[in-house]
Amino acid sequence: MDVSSFVLLSHEQALRRQLDIVANNMANSSTVGFKREQALFHEYVETAQEAPVEDARKTSFVLDFGTVHDTAQGSFQATGNPLDVMIDGAGYLNVENPDGGVAYTRAGYIKVSENGELVTSGGQRLLDENGRPIAIPADQLSRITIAEDGTVMAGDAPVGRLAVTDFGNESLVDPRGDGLLTGTGGQFLTAARTRLKTGGVEASNVEPIVETTHMVEILRSYQTSQRLSADLADMRKNAIGRLSRVG
């Protein structure tokens, strides 16, 4: 296999990675709080010690560098539940990680557990800035409100404030695959910087038509790469055939 075949192979692997990401975006087009992902590729240049001509010494390959999140805000999706919240701006709600520690989410479905604590739709306990769950007094379960700054009121008394963490650099956040994310280096948003909308959640920012168009472009690029591979194979076959007739 010559260098050109390796270059095409690296390109096809990159296209395969892109296709996987686009397919995942489309699968999560209705997932609350989901942020579409984009593939991030870098050029890797390899320099050979010897080559027939100087310009042929350098060969460019495609290097899969990872993914980045599209931080564009999703639309507000009303639910009719006054406890549901949407973060208006950057940040993630802090929840108790099932494996220990803290996890993060943009899915603002909130309910009260049997123990009187605020939890997500998946049952993870929501945490305050001290890393503690927010408990509601049994006699105030019907009088819960959440203010724009995240303060949780049970009747006329505050019982805690939803912790919202901003990472600034989205590359510090990694999806777990269950609607939760893990991350390091985040900072709590102060009450003055926290903006929540109640009565609804944030819809996914995936646009199915855009993703479908992107998928078609990837498939066409893959087909072009396959044709180039076939042309190179024919060229090598013809070259070998001609060399065999020399002399």
Side-chain angles (χ1 to χ4, degrees):
M1 185 180 289
D2 58 22
V3 173
S4 58
S5 296
F6 282 115
V7 172
L8 286 173
L9 180 59
S10 73
H11 180 232
E12 290 168 8
Q13 288 178 326
L15 291 173
R16 172 68 179 272
R17 173 66 171 156
Q18 280 186 302
L19 189 62
D20 289 341
I21 291 173
V22 171
N24 183 62
N25 287 341
M26 294 182 68
N28 286 280
S29 60
S30 59
T31 300
V32 170
F34 180 81
K35 299 293 186 182
R36 68 180 293 270
E37 296 180 323
Q38 302 176 78
L40 182 62
F41 299 107
H42 281 187
E43 180 186 24
Y44 175 75
V45 180
E46 183 177 278
T47 303
Q49 295 295 327
E50 298 179 359
V53 293
E54 182 64 25
D55 290 343
R57 289 185 61 205
K58 294 184 177 181
T59 305
S60 291
F61 296 90
V62 183
L63 180 64
D64 184 0
F65 199 72
T67 58
V68 293
H69 292 93
D70 180 358
T71 58
Q73 183 90 35
S75 61
F76 181 76
Q77 182 176 305
T79 61
N81 178 11
L83 295 183
D84 290 341
V85 298
M86 166 183 162
I87 300 174
D88 187 9
Y92 296 86
L93 296 171
N94 290 219
V95 301
E96 188 176 60
N97 193 331
D99 302 328
V102 180
Y104 306 93
T105 183
R106 294 276 299 189
Y109 286 124
I110 297 178
K111 60 183 181 180
V112 181
S113 69
E114 295 179 355
N115 298 327
E117 297 171 330
L118 294 186
V119 298
T120 66
S121 59
Q124 293 86 17
R125 297 192 294 183
L126 287 151
L127 305 175
D128 62 15
E129 293 173 312
N130 296 313
R132 296 183 301 224
I134 300 174
I136 309 298
D139 59 344
Q140 300 292 331
L141 293 179
S142 62
R143 302 181 63 197
I144 309 171
T145 58
I146 300 177
E148 183 181 274
D149 65 359
T151 300
V152 180
M153 303 290 294
D156 298 325
V159 293
R161 194 175 79 86
L162 292 173
V164 179
T165 299
D166 179 24
F167 289 91
N169 184 357
E170 285 294 314
S171 65
L172 300 175
V173 183
D174 296 314
R176 289 166 42 101
D178 55 1
L180 301 179
L181 303 98
T182 57
T184 57
Q187 295 184 338
F188 292 127
L189 292 181
T190 62
R193 294 179 58 204
T194 301
R195 297 192 307 275
L196 301 182
K197 292 182 179 179
T198 58
V201 294
E202 179 186 10
S204 169
N205 68 353
V206 174
E207 297 183 23
I209 294 178
V210 173
E211 299 300 324
T212 301
T213 302
H214 193 192
M215 181 174 289
V216 172
E217 292 173 349
I218 294 171
L219 292 174
R220 286 177 177 171
S221 295
Y222 191 84
Q223 290 170 351
T224 300
S225 183
Q226 288 288 290
R227 285 196 296 270
L228 286 172
S229 295
D231 291 343
L232 286 171
D234 290 340
M235 183 177 66
R236 285 191 292 268
K237 181 178 179 180
N238 291 334
I240 293 171
R242 291 181 180 180
L243 288 172
S244 66
R245 294 193 296 269
V246 174

